[in-house]
Amino acid sequence: MKILRIMFAFLISVCILAGCSGRKKDAIPLPSADEISKVTIINGDTAAISENGDYISKLLNKMKTAEDTDKKSVRDKPVGDTATRIDLQHSEGGTTTIYMYFNGGKLFLEKPHQGIYSIEKSLCDIIDELDYEAIS
């Protein structure tokens, strides 16, 4: 009985030290909504623009729910031409670009050279709220 207690205590200690409870996945690095002045979404040969603060907050809050897949992004943009490009224009200058695409029936966000993140398909509903126009 004493051996069982010692083994149990040892296993608990190992689990705590090894992180058996699971490591927290990294969140997609995104600016805060108050740092963004405009969002441009390009999907194929159409584009939509929003400078609406409520829309920008809603979009970023949803995007921040993306979960790290532990896959690395090694290109400037995903392979193929089906990805939707989301440009977040910073108030102080500069742009953060995120790509959104489906692969194997799942939706992903990719931040070039940083990581690939899975996200719920309901992000598409937010993306589709804008009015798209043909790119000239």
Side-chain angles (χ1 to χ4, degrees):
M1 189 67 149
K2 186 175 183 180
I3 292 176
L4 285 176
R5 285 186 197 166
I6 292 172
M7 286 178 37
F8 182 75
F10 175 76
L11 287 175
I12 295 291
S13 300
V14 169
C15 285
I16 290 171
L17 291 174
C20 286
S21 59
R23 86 169 176 89
K24 184 178 181 193
K25 298 279 188 169
D26 293 330
I28 186 169
L30 292 171
S32 64
D34 59 341
E35 296 176 89
I36 302 300
S37 60
K38 178 169 71 172
V39 174
T40 303
I41 301 173
I42 302 170
N43 188 2
D45 58 355
T46 62
I49 297 172
S50 178
E51 296 177 344
N52 180 293
D54 291 337
Y55 179 81
I56 292 169
S57 292
K58 183 178 180 179
L59 177 65
L60 287 173
N61 286 338
K62 185 61 177 179
M63 291 172 68
K64 287 178 181 181
T65 67
E67 296 181 359
D68 191 353
T69 63
D70 291 327
K71 294 179 183 174
K72 300 296 177 205
S73 173
V74 294
R75 294 186 167 81
D76 291 335
K77 66 180 223 168
V79 175
D81 54 354
T82 60
T84 298
R85 179 176 164 164
I86 304 168
D87 288 331
L88 308 171
Q89 185 175 335
H90 298 254
S91 304
E92 301 294 322
T95 302
T96 297
T97 298
I98 306 289
Y99 291 93
M100 179 182 84
Y101 58 89
F102 283 94
N103 187 0
K106 294 182 180 180
L107 186 61
F108 295 93
L109 295 178
E110 183 167 338
K111 189 163 184 189
H113 301 285
Q114 291 195 15
I116 300 173
Y117 306 82
S118 64
I119 190 159
E120 295 174 3
K121 294 177 186 176
S122 59
L123 174 63
C124 294
D125 296 333
I126 298 171
I127 297 291
D128 290 341
E129 287 179 18
L130 297 178
D131 295 323
Y132 288 80
E133 296 182 10
I135 300 172
S136 48

